[in-house]
Amino acid sequence: MFGYDEVAAAAGRIDGQVRPVVLAPGGERLWFALEFLQHTGSFKARGALNFTAAQRAAGRLPAAGIAIASGGNAGLAAAWAAGRQGVRATVFVPTTAPPVKVSALRALGAEVRGIGVEYAEAAEACAAFVAESGAVGSHAYDHPLIAAGAGTLVDEILAARPTITTVVVSVGGGGLLAGVATAAEARGLRVVAVEPEGSRALHAALAAGTPVDVPVSSVAADSLGARRVSADALRAAQRPHVRSVLVTDEAIVATRRRLWHEHRVAVEHAAATALAGTPAPTPAEETCTILCGANTTPTDLATA
């Protein structure tokens, strides 16, 4: 289990290379962290840059570069971060990955390999490639350097709005949760972890007391489709400052449309998931919901 020291170290590595998070008013005592404005369109750039910078510093970036399995956003971030280090990126995606993300991967110079229909199948193929090629295997969420990079959001949120008391995140494999919950505990904040009912790896792990495989079927599965949550995310979620929440696909879709109609914000379903599960702040609270990514095709919003 990593701690706040690792988050602080990540902040030092990526300082000046990522876009500081922007907060926007979302309602009464509610703020949106517009992390979809980050490089590559999601928070994943933070962890990917921290991972590659740490590998470079340790002398562990071979000619074969970096390989990762990803539904899209982590792959985009890995390809971007690899490019900044001047190395190759090979990205394994499920064949169900949105075309907008696959096109963006190729535009970043990544070699894209479509394998299977779920993240787990792409991950198996990536592991085999790493063993054969000597590439450095990164991970979409289950690595302390990846999670620590995501955790750098917390201090930026507090720098922008020191009165925040609660941070809301969506959860797939749990990298964002692990990093944010670790930093939030050090800063005395509460965390709400939101998952789709049809992709509930964290909720199932909390019930079982250990990470377990779950079936995946959700409108947000392209980003939140991990079968199993990371052990670090589970340990973080077991802390008393973290609360787990489930939302329906119907609520996710409606929230994504509401973000567009009321705020003219076009985000992917994973980002809408966090807002769909955001509780109304009490008079003693001020909440920040992280809108984590916007790698989506917004044409359906224009006609919704």
Side-chain angles (χ1 to χ4, degrees):
M1 180 66 180
F2 67 96
Y4 181 73
D5 287 349
E6 284 73 23
V7 177
R13 288 191 194 98
I14 69 176
D15 183 44
Q17 301 181 74
V18 297
R19 295 167 180 156
V21 71
V22 174
L23 301 193
E28 188 173 1
R29 298 186 305 282
L30 173 64
W31 294 83
F32 297 151
L34 308 184
E35 189 60 2
F36 59 85
L37 298 176
Q38 190 54 259
H39 292 292
T40 73
S42 86
F43 77 95
K44 296 280 190 179
R46 295 173 180 270
L49 188 59
N50 186 43
F51 179 87
T52 54
Q55 300 301 322
R56 171 69 78 190
R60 293 194 297 260
L61 277 183
I66 290 173
I68 187 170
S70 165
N73 285 345
L76 289 168
W80 171 77
R84 292 184 69 87
Q85 296 294 339
V87 297
R88 295 168 50 195
T90 305
V91 183
F92 293 78
V93 302
T95 56
T96 53
V100 65
K101 294 183 181 180
V102 174
S103 296
L105 281 167
R106 293 192 171 118
L108 286 167
E111 179 182 347
V112 183
R113 301 190 183 188
I115 305 290
V117 296
E118 290 186 13
Y119 167 79
E121 295 169 284
E124 290 174 4
C126 181
F129 175 80
V130 167
E132 294 166 4
S133 68
V136 173
S138 186
H139 199 280
Y141 58 88
D142 194 2
H143 193 288
L145 288 168
I146 299 294
T152 60
L153 268 167
V154 171
D155 280 351
E156 290 186 19
I157 288 170
L158 287 175
R161 189 76 183 174
T163 48
I164 295 295
T165 61
T166 303
V167 179
V168 184
V169 301
S170 56
V171 181
L176 179 60
L177 170 63
V180 166
T182 297
E185 184 172 28
R187 301 302 301 272
L189 305 182
R190 290 180 290 276
V191 176
V192 179
V194 189
E195 295 177 285
E197 287 186 345
S199 185
R200 57 170 75 196
L202 176 65
H203 209 74
L206 286 167
T210 188
V212 294
D213 285 345
V214 297
V216 173
S217 178
S218 170
V219 69
D222 63 310
S223 295
L224 306 181
R227 285 186 189 171
R228 177 178 289 228
V229 78
S230 74
D232 281 339
L234 174 58
R235 282 190 288 266
Q238 290 171 326
R239 303 292 293 166
H241 71 297
V242 179
R243 171 187 170 196
S244 175
V245 172
L246 295 175
V247 293
T248 65
D249 272 7
E250 290 77 13
I252 294 168
V253 169
T255 300
R256 180 169 173 266
R257 289 175 177 168
R258 177 162 61 88
L259 277 165
W260 171 249
H261 288 298
E262 295 182 6
H263 301 278
R264 280 301 186 258
V265 168
V267 295
E268 57 193 83
H269 288 102
T273 297
L275 183 58
T278 296
T282 69
E285 291 179 310
E286 194 165 343
T287 297
C288 180
T289 298
I290 297 174
L291 300 182
C292 56
N295 289 310
T296 184
T297 302
T299 52
D300 60 328
L301 292 173
T303 59

